[in-house]
Amino acid sequence: MQKRTFLKAVSLLLANPMISRFTAWAKPEKLTNWAGNLEYGTENLYSAESMGRVADFVRKQSKLKVLGSRHCFNSIADSHDSFLSLQSLSKIVSLDRNARTVTIEAGARYGQVCPALDEQGFAFHNLASLPHISIAGACSTGTHGSGVKNGNLSTAVSGLEFVAASGDLVRLSREKDGETFRGAVVGLGALGAITKVTLDIQPRFTMQQYVYENLPLDQMKDHFDAIVSSAYSVSLFTDWQKKRLNEVWLKKRTEDGKSEEAPEEFYGAKRATKNLHPIAELSAENCTQQMGVPGPWYERLPHFRMGFTPSAGKELQSEYYVPRRHAVEAILAVERLRDQITPHLMISEIRTIAADDFWMSPCYKQDAVTIHFTWKQDWPAVRALLPVIERELAPFQPRPHWGKLFTTSPEQLRASYEKLPEFAELCRRYDPKGKFRNEFLNKNIFAVA
Ligand SMILES: Cc1cc2nc3c(=O)[nH]c(=O)nc-3n(C[C@H](O)[C@H](O)[C@H](O)COP(=O)(O)OP(=O)(O)OC[C@H]3O[C@@H](n4cnc5c(N)ncnc54)[C@H](O)[C@@H]3O)c2cc1C
């Protein structure tokens, strides 16, 4: 640690005994995101060990970013000044059985909360491919799972508590705060330090998961809506080669944990005879149980198991949301690029998400299909390819995932988010001097608003 940094850390510790220098992620030297493709701009990482101290800490900083579980691939979370982690603040604060809501401290990861929620008899409506991510970070970036009737994870948010730049605590709710609330939920980390989130819950449910192999592209073309509507959550994986989708993952809700035998064939695809990883060559050890074995919602909705490395690890990711009405055309447009894409690709995933009304959500007022790319970790090659894919998808007005890699210009972002100027105004209201802004936000939001 540099001497200057060390002194700063010590003086901060003395001033804020409940905010401590946090070193667990700072491997020997550098602080990076989860995938290791991004070295953050500072190692000044402080951990809040009590809610009460967050306000004080925020008030005293001139610039900072709150870091979640570091699963974003781009610099949306980056800072050159300091980071605040709420990782130690991960308790369930309250569960309201009548209102069917749970309030959680904002450092919690889904994987920490879900088993406890299930024990109380409740569930979330959906989860992303991995349970390792922080709830606040996931909701702030419009993170999603799949399902034609399922909104992204932020659509479960019914209340939000955050510390604004002044150090004041702000509480917003779906019920009382209308447009302000709708502007704040997918907040890109720009409004303040989220300290608590209240989420809708529903009675716990069980699910079973079946995987099918080799769905012909023509079947997808002719039956896309039927395919993606055939289960509660459907994911299509492809390497774009051989005119087929390599794997189809169907996650179905079951009645009282009863297992239902699935047909051997699904639109020309064959039911798998063992658990599979989305990248078929990799071991399925880190994947959730398939083969129709019933299990709790939180062990079937994600593809990857808590306690294991999700996905491949050393990778990059990009993803584009396209209006679902254009799904087939958009998928075929990408498929035409297959020979440029595949050499750099580990796997692609296609999912669906229901529309919502959050200003900065990529599903704002449109049912969406997402086309996702897990890339080999070769940024120069991927950076050269992204504009080609974005050009091909341009007729469908693609919105990139806020937490993944894209080359979409700020002007294009501005054109696809009608509420972007209002969002920038909302940020200025809670953070007039740009305490929570960084280069990513300045470039993609404030420069065009
Ligand atoms: C292996 C892998 C699989 C993935 N699968 C999916 C998937 O299935 N679906 C999907 O949509 N995405 C997926 N992603 C993307 C990723 O999960 C999300 O963008 C991520 O959840 C962001 O949450 P985080 O806590 O890691 O945020 P970070 O990267 O730490 O931060 C992201 C943003 O949230 C802000 N933030 C975090 N916590 C707070 C807080 N308390 N207060 C204020 N701001 C805060 C940060 O400041 C930053 O702006 C995947 C990523 C990986 C690495």
Side-chain angles (χ1 to χ4, degrees):
M1 193 192 302
Q2 288 171 353
K3 193 171 165 209
R4 195 169 50 86
T5 313
F6 175 73
L7 288 175
K8 208 181 327 171
V10 170
S11 60
L12 203 93
L13 262 172
L14 293 174
N16 291 290
M18 300 308 282
I19 301 269
S20 66
R21 175 95 181 152
F22 192 86
T23 49
W25 293 336
K27 290 172 195 160
E29 282 302 326
K30 299 292 178 193
L31 184 63
T32 69
N33 66 345
W34 172 85
N37 65 299
L38 177 72
E39 207 172 85
Y40 291 127
T42 177
E43 289 152 46
N44 294 334
L45 172 59
Y46 302 100
S47 171
E49 272 131 43
S50 98
M51 272 303 168
R53 294 290 171 152
V54 175
D56 201 34
F57 182 78
V58 168
R59 192 178 298 116
K60 286 179 181 155
Q61 298 294 300
S62 56
K63 261 186 130 29
L64 80 156
K65 290 303 293 176
V66 184
L67 208 48
S69 51
R70 300 174 301 127
H71 282 80
C72 287
F73 289 84
N74 60 28
S75 59
I76 189 168
D78 200 6
S79 171
H80 289 286
D81 302 278
S82 58
F83 287 117
L84 176 63
S85 166
L86 303 185
Q87 171 163 281
S88 314
L89 304 173
S90 57
K91 286 199 299 288
I92 294 183
V93 179
S94 60
L95 193 150
D96 185 334
R97 289 174 179 274
N98 294 328
R100 290 206 174 155
T101 58
V102 65
T103 298
I104 299 161
E105 290 180 341
R109 297 168 187 240
Y110 283 97
Q112 294 172 309
V113 170
C114 292
L117 192 61
D118 185 74
E119 245 172 56
Q120 294 294 318
F122 290 99
F124 293 129
H125 78 290
N126 210 354
L127 293 170
S129 70
L130 74 176
H132 310 63
I133 53 180
S134 87
I135 296 177
C139 294
S140 297
T141 53
T143 292
H144 62 92
S146 192
V148 289
K149 295 191 180 145
N150 297 324
N152 69 38
L153 304 189
S154 71
T155 58
V157 177
S158 68
L160 204 58
E161 178 189 284
F162 64 91
V163 174
S166 59
D168 294 342
L169 202 59
V170 178
R171 289 198 181 91
L172 298 176
S173 75
R174 184 197 286 151
E175 214 178 302
K176 296 201 191 98
D177 295 293
E179 279 295 278
T180 305
F181 176 76
R182 291 192 274 281
V185 174
V186 180
L188 313 182
L191 277 89
I194 301 168
T195 43
K196 284 182 200 150
V197 191
T198 301
L199 299 164
D200 292 338
I201 50 177
Q202 55 180 267
R204 70 182 294 276
F205 54 94
T206 49
M207 300 189 83
Q208 55 179 171
Q209 179 166 234
Y210 281 104
V211 173
Y212 287 83
E213 291 183 276
N214 298 319
L215 185 127
L217 196 66
D218 278 343
Q219 293 281 346
M220 185 287 297
K221 213 160 83 185
D222 296 342
H223 304 288
F224 182 80
D225 280 331
I227 290 169
V228 294
S229 308
S230 64
Y232 186 73
S233 164
V234 176
S235 287
L236 310 174
F237 290 96
T238 181
D239 61 5
W240 302 104
Q241 293 295 318
K242 300 188 189 160
K243 302 275 174 201
R244 51 99 168 91
L245 296 138
N246 308 43
E247 294 177 20
V248 181
W249 290 39
L250 302 180
K251 297 169 192 275
K252 297 192 177 204
R253 288 173 76 136
T254 58
E255 286 301 321
D256 299 328
K258 279 190 218 115
S259 117
E260 203 183 289
E261 183 75 3
E264 269 181 32
E265 212 175 296
F266 178 79
Y267 293 95
K270 296 274 180 299
R271 202 175 70 200
T273 52
K274 59 176 186 6
N275 280 358
L276 290 176
H277 191 285
I279 305 166
E281 309 82 67
L282 298 186
S283 154
E285 192 200 11
N286 62 352
C287 295
T288 48
Q289 178 64 49
Q290 301 156 29
M291 306 288 291
V293 179
W297 56 280
Y298 67 92
E299 289 182 353
R300 295 294 179 276
L301 282 170
H303 305 328
F304 302 107
R305 293 157 70 191
M306 194 72 179
F308 290 77
T309 301
S311 194
K314 199 165 188 283
E315 64 194 56
L316 302 175
Q317 294 189 10
S318 306
E319 187 168 39
Y320 299 94
Y321 300 63
V322 169
R324 204 179 115 199
R325 64 183 184 281
H326 298 311
V328 172
E329 286 167 278
I331 293 166
L332 294 179
V334 175
E335 196 266 341
R336 284 194 290 276
L337 301 173
R338 60 189 172 277
D339 291 339
Q340 288 177 73
I341 290 173
T342 310
H344 305 289
L345 188 77
M346 292 189 179
I347 201 69
S348 271
E349 180 176 12
I350 296 162
R351 289 177 276 185
T352 56
I353 308 132
D356 61 57
D357 53 10
F358 294 143
W359 294 357
M360 298 310 289
S361 165
C363 305
Y364 180 70
K365 293 199 174 157
Q366 65 184 26
D367 289 330
V369 62
T370 51
I371 306 178
H372 161 92
F373 305 83
T374 300
W375 302 108
K376 295 173 189 168
Q377 215 171 64
D378 177 355
W379 177 229
V382 173
R383 189 176 47 201
L385 250 176
L386 293 182
V388 180
I389 296 171
E390 287 162 10
R391 215 166 26 245
E392 212 59 33
L393 289 176
F396 316 111
Q397 293 221 300
R399 295 173 179 167
H401 191 302
W402 287 115
K404 303 187 183 180
L405 296 162
F406 59 87
T407 57
T408 310
S409 73
E411 292 70 27
Q412 284 164 312
L413 288 174
R414 166 70 192 88
S416 47
Y417 283 93
E418 63 179 79
K419 289 285 196 180
L420 191 145
E422 282 97 326
F423 176 68
E425 269 316 297
L426 190 66
C427 297
R428 288 187 188 106
R429 191 196 312 169
Y430 292 111
D431 181 15
K433 294 189 181 151
K435 193 177 267 195
F436 291 98
R437 282 188 218 164
N438 58 9
E439 282 169 18
F440 180 96
L441 292 170
N442 282 335
K443 174 179 166 194
N444 291 303
I445 305 294
F446 295 99
V448 288

